[in-house]
């Protein structure tokens, strides 16, 4: 699975942004592949943001983004989205799309995750 993120940019606090993750090489819906978003701010460790199950019915969020971010997927288009509302300066980071056959890996053990994109930068100004 090859993952490419897009949609990052510079926004102001309180604005919204939607990130997209395009997958190629293997259809999302053909196999059991969960997809997630992670982020890494400068000088900080990578952290989990959100994940969605193969069907899209189950989602998981970090406490820091609950109620503001929404993850969704369109298996027909091999796309996963992260809609971010009410952005804060603390949300500034490089956002990475990731995929794995196990949701557990995305949520609990990111070092085991099989596929990663190269990231897209989100900058939120105050």
């Amino acid at each position: 699975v090859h993952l490419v993120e897009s949609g990052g940019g510079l926004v102001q606090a309180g604005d919204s942004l939607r990130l997209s993750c395009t997958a190629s090489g293997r259809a999302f819906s053909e196999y059991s592949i969960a997809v997630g978003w992670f982020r890494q701010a400068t000088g900080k460790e990578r952290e989990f943001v959100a994940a969605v199950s193969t069907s899209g019915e189950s989602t998981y969020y970090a406490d820091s983004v609950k109620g503001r971010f929404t993850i969704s997927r369109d298996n027909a288009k091999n796309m996963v989205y992260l809609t971010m509302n009410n952005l804060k300066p603390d949300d500034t980071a490089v956002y990475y799309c990731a995929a794995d056959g196990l949701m557990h890996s995305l949520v609990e053990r990111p070092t085991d995750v099989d596929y990663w994109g190269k990231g897209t930068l989100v900058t939120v100004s105050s």
Side-chain angles (χ1 to χ4, degrees):
V1 177
H2 181 61
L3 304 171
V4 178
E5 304 92 338
S6 61
L10 173 63
V11 297
Q12 294 185 332
D15 284 352
S16 298
L17 202 61
R18 189 178 80 160
L19 305 183
S20 299
C21 175
T22 304
S24 61
R26 192 167 170 179
F28 276 157
S29 59
E30 183 178 354
Y31 301 93
S32 176
I33 297 179
V35 181
W37 287 93
F38 292 77
R39 67 186 182 186
Q40 186 167 20
T42 302
K44 296 186 177 180
E45 293 186 355
R46 180 182 58 195
E47 63 174 353
F48 169 77
V49 175
V52 61
S53 62
T54 303
S55 66
E57 292 182 354
S58 297
T59 56
Y60 299 86
Y61 296 94
D63 288 342
S64 59
V65 305
K66 277 182 183 177
R68 299 189 299 123
F69 290 12
T70 302
I71 188 170
S72 60
R73 66 191 292 167
D74 185 337
N75 288 335
K77 297 180 179 179
N78 278 11
M79 297 287 294
V80 175
Y81 306 99
L82 184 68
T83 302
M84 306 182 292
N85 296 320
N86 190 22
L87 282 161
K88 304 175 181 180
D90 284 349
D91 295 319
T92 295
V94 176
Y95 284 72
Y96 298 91
C97 180
D100 195 274
L102 298 175
M103 176 68 80
H104 176 78
S105 296
L106 290 169
V107 179
E108 302 290 346
R109 297 180 63 86
T111 53
D112 291 347
V113 171
D114 290 332
Y115 307 104
W116 292 90
K118 294 187 176 181
T120 184
L121 176 63
V122 173
T123 304
V124 184
S125 64
S126 57

